[in-house]
C-alpha cells in the first residue's frame, strides 16, 4: 500500500517530485508509525464491515480501527466480537493470493489497510487473537483505551501473550484519555507512569493516540466546529504536556497522533470561515473551498496544521471525508524538503546557519536537525510535492481519485 495509491500513476507523477513510498503491514515500526495517516474508526458491529474496509482501502485509507469500545453499546459487545471474526474471514477469503503491482495505474483495491481492534478489556485481546485463527495475519494490533500505567500493564501483557500464541507481530496503540491524565494534580505522576510502561514495551507500542473527546467530557465541554482542540485551553494544556513527556525527538519519544474531528455535516456558523480564498483561486478550486466550508472542514484543516505545529502526526478520523484532507496536508512541500535537505547535508555536520534556498528564512543546522529528520521520514511516506503544487492540488486529486 502507499499514500495516494488510489489515484492514477500519471496524476501522481504530475503532483510529486518524489512519490510516496510503498509499505506493507510487515514494514518496520518506525515506518508504520508515520504511515498511519488518517486512521479511520468504524464500529465493529457493522454488518458489511469487510465491504466497508475494502471500499475505504480503494479510496486511499491505509489504517483503520474496528471499535468494540465507545462506538457501540454495552449490550452489543458480544455481537461485535462475533461479527469481527466473520468479517475477518470474509476479508481473508477475498484477499487470498492477491498480488500488489506498484507499476499499475492504481494500486490494487484488494490491498487492505492496517487493521486494529479497539478493545474494552485485556481478555478480549487474547480471546480474539485465538478466535481469529489464521485470519489474525490481517490484524496489525489493538487499540488500548483509557491507558494508564496501572491499566496498561494487563493490556500489554495480554498483547504479548496473543503475539506469542498467534505467531503474528501485533502492535499496541494506547489511547491517552483518562481523567488522571487530565486533572492537574495527577497529571505529572500519570505521565511518568505511562512513560515507564510504554518504554518497557517500546517494541510493541506503535503510536500514542489522544482521546480529546473524553478530556472534554470530564468537564462537560464540547468544542464547536468553529474551534480547534487548541482553542479549548484545558485540552491544549494536556496535549502540550503529553508531547513534552512522550513525544520527544531524543529517542525516548513516540509518535503521538492528532485528536478526532467530530463534525462532518453542515451546521450554523458563528465565526467567519478559516480558509483563505487565494490558494483556491490560484488552483481554480473555489467550488472546493465552498464545499469544505459548508461541511465544516475548514476547521479540520486548521486543526491539522496546528497538530503538526504542536508535535503531532496523523489523526483519528470518524468519517471518510476527513481522510483526504489529513493526507493532503501531510505531504511535504517542496520548500520543507529543500530546507531539510540543506540542513542534513554531510558537510553541515559541524553546525552553522544557512539561508534557505527560498531566501525567506534561517536554517540553523543543529537546532533544526531533528525537525529535518522527521520531515524526510514524512517525505518518504507521504511524498514531496513539486515546486508549483500546493495542498489544494493534492486535495483535489485525492478527492477525485
Amino acid at each position: 500500500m502507499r499514500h495516494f495509491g488510489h489515484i492514477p500513476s500519471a496524476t501522481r507523477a504530475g503532483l510529486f517530485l518524489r512519490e510516496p513510498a510503498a509499505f506493507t503491514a510487515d514494514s518496520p515500526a518506525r515506518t508504520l508509525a508515520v504511515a498511519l495517516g488518517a486512521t479511520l474508526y468504524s464500529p465493529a458491529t457493522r454488518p458489511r464491515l469487510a465491504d466497508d474496509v475494502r471500499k475505504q482501502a480503494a479510496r486511499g485509507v491505509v489504517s483503520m480501527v474496528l471499535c468494540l469500545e465507545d462506538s457501540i453499546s454495552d449490550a452489543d459487545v458480544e455481537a461485535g466480537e462475533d461479527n469481527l471474526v466473520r468479517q475477518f474471514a470474509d476479508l481473508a477469503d477475498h484477499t487470498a493470493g492477491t498480488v500488489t503491482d506498484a507499476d499499475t495505474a492504481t494500486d490494487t483495491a484488494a490491498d487492505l489497510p492496517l487493521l486494529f481492534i479497539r478493545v474494552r478489556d485485556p481478555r478480549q485481546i487474547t480471546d480474539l487473537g485465538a478466535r481469529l485463527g489464521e485470519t489474525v495475519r490481517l490484524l496489525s494490533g489493538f487499540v488500548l483505551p483509557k491507558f494508564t500505567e496501572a491499566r496498561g500493564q494487563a493490556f500489554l501483557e495480554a498483547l504479548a501473550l496473543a503475539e506469542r500464541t498467534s505467531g503474528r507481530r501485533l502492535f499496541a496503540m494506547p489511547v491517552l484519555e483518562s481523567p488522571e491524565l487530565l486533572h492537574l494534580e495527577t497529571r505529572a505522576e500519570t505521565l511518568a507512569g505511562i512513560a515507564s510502561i510504554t518504554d518497557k514495551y517500546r517494541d510493541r507500542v506503535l503510536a500514542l493516540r489522544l482521546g480529546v473527546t473524553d478530556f472534554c467530557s470530564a468537564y462537560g465541554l464540547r468544542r464547536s466546529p468553529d474551534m480547534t482542540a487548541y482553542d479549548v485551553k484545558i485540552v491544549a494544556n494536556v496535549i502540550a504536556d503529553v508531547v513534552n513527556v512522550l513525544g520527544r525527538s531524543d529517542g525516548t519519544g513516540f509518535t503521538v497522533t492528532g485528536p478526532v474531528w467530530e463534525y462532518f455535516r453542515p451546521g450554523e456558523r458563528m465565526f467567519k470561515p478559516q480558509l483563505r480564498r487565494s490558494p483556491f483561486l490560484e488552483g481554480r478550486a473555489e467550488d472546493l473551498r465552498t464545499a469544505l466550508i459548508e461541511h465544516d472542514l475548514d476547521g479540520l484543516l486548521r486543526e491539522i496544521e496546528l497538530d503538526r505545529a504542536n508535535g503531532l502526526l496523523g489523526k483519528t478520523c470518524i468519517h471518510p471525508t476527513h481522510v483526504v484532507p489529513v493526507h493532503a496536508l501531510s505531504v511535504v512541500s517542496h520548500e520543507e524538503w529543500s530546507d531539510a535537505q540543506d540542513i542534513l547535508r554531510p558537510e553541515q555536520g559541524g553546525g552553522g546557519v544557512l539561508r534557505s534556498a527560498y531566501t525567506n528564512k534561517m536554517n540553523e543546522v543543529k537546532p533544526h536537525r531533528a525537525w529535518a529528520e522527521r520531515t524526510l521520514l514524512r517525505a518518504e511516506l507521504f511524498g514531496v510535492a513539486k515546486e508549483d503544487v500546493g495542498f489544494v492540488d493534492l486535495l483535489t486529486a485525492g478527492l477525485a481519485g
Side-chain angles (χ1 to χ4, degrees), residues 210 238-248 256 310-312:
L210 288 165
V238 179
I239 294 174
D241 288 345
V242 167
V243 174
N244 190 325
V245 176
L246 299 167
R248 300 175 186 178
V256 183
N310 285 277
L312 310 183

Side-chain angles (χ1 to χ4, degrees), residues 17 24 39 64-65 90 111 113 136-137 139 198 205 228-229 232 245 262 267 273 275 297 317 365 372 396:
L17 177 69
T24 73
T39 301
M64 289 187 70
V65 173
D90 185 319
D111 286 346
V136 75
R137 65 183 172 82
L139 183 66
T198 52
V205 176
T228 71
V232 183
V245 176
E262 298 179 348
L275 277 183
L297 295 183
C317 296
V365 173
T396 302

Side-chain angles (χ1 to χ4, degrees), residues 44 80 87 99 182 194 264 276 311 369:
Q87 301 298 329
V99 176
L182 180 62
I194 292 171
F264 51 88
R276 289 190 302 112
R369 177 171 292 276

Side-chain angles (χ1 to χ4, degrees), residues 39-40 55 110 126 136 177 190 216 223 257-258 267 276 295 297 319 341 365 389:
T39 301
L40 184 64
K55 180 170 68 175
T126 51
V136 75
E177 56 186 348
T190 302
C216 290
R223 70 187 190 274
T257 65
R276 289 190 302 112
H295 287 78
L297 295 183
H319 196 272
Q341 288 281 100
V365 173
V389 171

Side-chain angles (χ1 to χ4, degrees), residues 27-171:
S27 293
R30 185 167 181 260
T31 297
L32 296 182
V34 174
L36 288 168
T39 301
L40 184 64
Y41 275 53
S42 179
T45 51
R46 290 181 65 87
R48 298 181 64 84
L49 186 58
D51 289 338
D52 293 341
V53 169
R54 287 187 286 265
K55 180 170 68 175
Q56 296 308 325
R59 293 177 175 177
V61 173
V62 303
S63 63
M64 289 187 70
V65 173
L66 314 178
C67 184
L68 289 166
E69 208 223 0
D70 286 346
S71 68
I72 66 174
S73 73
D74 297 345
D76 291 335
V77 174
E78 185 175 346
E81 293 173 345
D82 293 342
N83 189 52
L84 281 179
V85 175
R86 290 192 299 270
Q87 301 298 329
F88 267 74
D90 185 319
L91 289 171
D93 287 343
H94 283 80
T95 57
T98 297
V99 176
T100 301
D101 183 359
D103 296 323
T104 56
T106 58
D107 292 341
T108 175
D111 286 346
L112 297 180
L114 303 171
L115 295 177
F116 301 85
I117 297 174
R118 183 175 180 176
V119 294
R120 295 187 173 211
D121 61 68
R123 172 200 59 81
Q124 290 176 304
I125 294 177
T126 51
D127 182 56
L128 285 170
R131 292 177 64 188
L132 287 174
E134 187 272 337
T135 68
V136 75
R137 65 183 172 82
L138 304 179
L139 183 66
S140 290
F142 293 90
V143 175
L144 314 180
K146 299 172 179 59
F147 191 88
T148 63
E149 182 178 24
R151 284 175 52 83
Q153 182 70 42
F155 277 114
L156 291 168
E157 287 177 354
L159 180 79
L161 177 58
E163 186 177 65
R164 290 194 300 270
T165 302
S166 67
R168 166 71 179 163
R169 181 182 69 168
L170 297 170
F171 287 111

Side-chain angles (χ1 to χ4, degrees), residues 349-363:
V353 178
L354 309 168
R355 184 177 66 169
S356 75
Y358 276 68
T359 68
N360 60 357
K361 72 177 74 65
M362 169 194 75
N363 288 327

Side-chain angles (χ1 to χ4, degrees), residues 314-331:
K315 200 163 187 66
T316 294
C317 296
I318 46 82
H319 196 272
T321 57
H322 300 170
V323 172
V324 173
V326 173
H327 291 168
L329 285 171
S330 298
V331 174

